[in-house]
Amino acid sequence: MEITARAPGKIILAGEHAVVHGCTAFASSINLYTSVTLRLLPEEEDTIEIQLNDVGRHLSWPIERIKKVLSYIGSPFPSKPRPCSLETVEALAALVDEQYSPGKEVTIASGVSALLWLYACVLGFKPVRVIVSSELPVGAGLGSSAAYCVALSAALLAFSDVVNLSIGQKGRVIFEEREIDLLNKWAFIGEKIIHGNPSGIDNAVSTFGNVIKFKSGCMTRISAKMPVRMLITNTKVSRDTMALITNVSLRKSRHPDAMSSVLNAIESISDEWCSIIQSHAKDHRALSTNEVKLAELMEINQGLLISLGVSHAAIDTVLRTTTKYKLASKLTGAGGGGCVLTLLPTELSEAVLEKLVEELESFGFQCYTAGIGGKGIEINVNGDP
């Protein structure tokens, strides 16, 4: 039997940086996915094989080599998510370095470490083949690592004894709510191996889908009723998220009153965005009115983010280009590069969109179109269960 799980990426719609200071942010799933296919191999093969399609890497280890590093684990414990100690993270990194010299691909290498930990904890030391492919760029702020950890956790749990494998139409595996919660917890552990101290927003959005509102550590799942389509432009400019967050905090310490006003304004935008996308437009005119409101909020939000000092010349280039087409844009995530969102009204023609994308790509940027608020994790069985 073979299991394929796919999980969506995410975008921050509003509230980036303000969320660090106790304000509301909200994030949405997007219909760009990472897929993980897992197949159990015959016992006599005694290997774990990992195929990373998007970087053209194929890795494999004898099971005994994995056991040597993780000998203390013993039997698998899929129902009890267990953090990976720093010592074990370092041991796994050394193991991965034996076959994978990452260079600049550190996130991918740490992703392999996360795979090995989740595999041993959830499945034990069974011979397996794991194939990973993704539509999401790595390190662009679109939740690629979270989508990977969610899809991986789902595929592993589907083979474990803690999931009641209920198979619906077309081989779709149906997880119960408690099983979905469990895979989200395992995915968060994988995210910690990759990023150290993530918020948990990315894996939650990828697991449950739709929209999640986040404030002071509390997450609320929201159902978006308004269809929204975005152009996502990846500037391909890498950024130091921690440095950007630190600089905002320093600016706040120097100008507490002014910065508090900016952060409160961003929170108001988040709340209004949330209210609009939860409303159901009764006709096309009402939908267009809501799209105008969202566009205005994006423009205001971007201005406020500029005042926080987190924009970048590449982001400004995207903004100038989309403004020529009378479209509203804002950065998403940490800023300082990364990705920019552009709202695509329902009345925008495909010809105009193609012209815009061509112009943006002439700067060396990479563009994706994506709807927001779609499904979370999806799991399918290939072959006989």
Side-chain angles (χ1 to χ4, degrees):
M1 181 175 73
E2 186 176 83
I3 296 284
T4 296
R6 75 169 194 171
K10 74 90 181 58
I11 51 176
I12 303 293
L13 292 169
E16 47 270 277
H17 285 286
V19 70
V20 177
H21 301 275
C23 297
T24 301
F26 73 110
S28 169
S29 61
I30 54 175
N31 55 356
L32 297 170
Y33 300 91
T34 293
S35 297
V36 173
T37 298
L38 193 150
R39 174 181 284 276
L40 294 181
L41 302 175
E43 289 293 331
E44 58 269 20
E45 293 204 20
D46 196 39
T47 59
I48 174 171
E49 300 178 11
I50 303 171
Q51 185 174 322
L52 305 175
N53 286 343
D54 300 288
V55 292
R57 297 292 188 109
H58 184 276
L59 313 173
S60 66
W61 287 272
I63 296 296
E64 287 303 317
R65 183 72 186 92
I66 307 298
K67 283 184 177 179
K68 185 176 180 181
V69 175
L70 300 174
S71 58
Y72 67 92
I73 284 182
S75 300
F77 38 90
S79 64
K80 298 178 180 179
R82 178 175 177 178
C84 185
S85 68
L86 179 58
E87 182 181 4
T88 301
V89 170
E90 292 172 349
L92 287 170
L95 178 65
V96 172
D97 284 347
E98 293 176 2
Q99 292 197 36
Y100 186 88
S101 180
K104 293 183 179 179
E105 300 170 349
V106 175
T107 300
I108 296 174
S110 59
V112 176
S113 295
L115 185 156
L116 294 174
W117 175 255
L118 296 178
Y119 151 78
C121 293
V122 175
L123 206 58
F125 299 99
K126 297 178 181 178
V128 295
R129 178 180 295 120
V130 184
I131 302 171
V132 181
S133 58
S134 184
E135 300 169 332
L136 295 159
V138 175
L142 299 182
S144 61
S145 64
Y148 162 75
C149 289
V150 170
L152 175 62
S153 299
L156 290 167
L157 285 168
F159 274 110
S160 76
D161 58 6
V162 298
V163 169
N164 180 19
L165 206 59
S166 175
I167 302 175
Q169 292 182 341
K170 298 181 180 180
R172 179 70 53 84
V173 177
I174 303 168
F175 274 24
E176 296 177 1
E177 188 71 17
R178 65 172 183 82
E179 295 165 345
I180 294 285
D181 287 335
L182 179 64
L183 85 83
N184 185 49
K185 291 175 182 176
W186 276 115
F188 187 43
I189 287 172
E191 277 277 85
K192 286 182 175 180
I193 293 172
I194 296 170
H195 293 299
N197 189 31
S199 68
I201 296 176
D202 288 14
N203 53 277
V205 172
S206 188
T207 298
F208 298 107
N210 222 309
V211 176
I212 287 183
K213 189 175 183 179
F214 182 83
K215 182 174 182 177
S216 302
C218 297
M219 283 184 265
T220 305
R221 291 158 61 184
I222 292 168
S223 178
K225 297 181 176 65
M226 176 182 172
V228 177
R229 192 164 67 126
M230 293 284 186
L231 177 67
I232 303 171
T233 302
N234 181 9
T235 65
K236 299 183 181 178
V237 175
S238 61
R239 66 269 189 271
D240 186 336
T241 299
M242 188 53 64
L244 288 159
I245 290 172
T246 299
N247 287 339
V248 172
S249 295
L250 290 172
R251 186 170 290 201
K252 184 170 183 273
S253 69
R254 292 192 296 267
H255 313 285
D257 293 340
M259 287 291 285
S260 292
S261 297
V262 171
L263 296 172
N264 288 336
I266 291 175
E267 180 165 48
S268 296
I269 290 169
S270 295
D271 291 338
E272 191 172 349
W273 242 98
C274 204
S275 175
I276 292 170
I277 65 169
Q278 287 185 90
S279 64
H280 180 72
K282 60 182 179 180
D283 53 31
H284 182 74
R285 183 177 179 180
L287 177 60
S288 295
T289 298
N290 283 343
E291 287 177 341
V292 169
K293 289 180 180 178
L294 292 182
E296 290 174 342
L297 289 173
M298 288 179 69
E299 290 174 341
I300 298 168
N301 199 352
Q302 177 61 26
L304 294 168
L305 289 165
I306 290 172
S307 73
L308 295 183
V310 296
S311 194
H312 185 274
I315 294 173
D316 295 341
T317 299
V318 177
L319 295 172
R320 284 195 303 271
T321 305
T322 58
T323 298
K324 285 165 45 179
Y325 293 82
K326 295 182 170 55
L327 298 174
S329 301
K330 66 173 285 290
L331 67 84
T332 181
C339 289
V340 179
L341 304 180
T342 302
L343 181 66
L344 301 177
T346 51
E347 293 184 350
L348 185 72
S349 71
E350 287 302 313
V352 171
L353 177 58
E354 288 175 10
K355 188 177 179 182
L356 170 60
V357 168
E358 183 180 357
E359 188 168 347
L360 288 168
E361 290 182 343
S362 72
F363 294 105
F365 303 147
Q366 190 173 21
C367 296
Y368 310 84
T369 55
I372 74 161
K375 293 180 180 178
I377 184 67
E378 296 179 290
I379 309 138
N380 285 276
V381 173
N382 312 314
D384 295 329

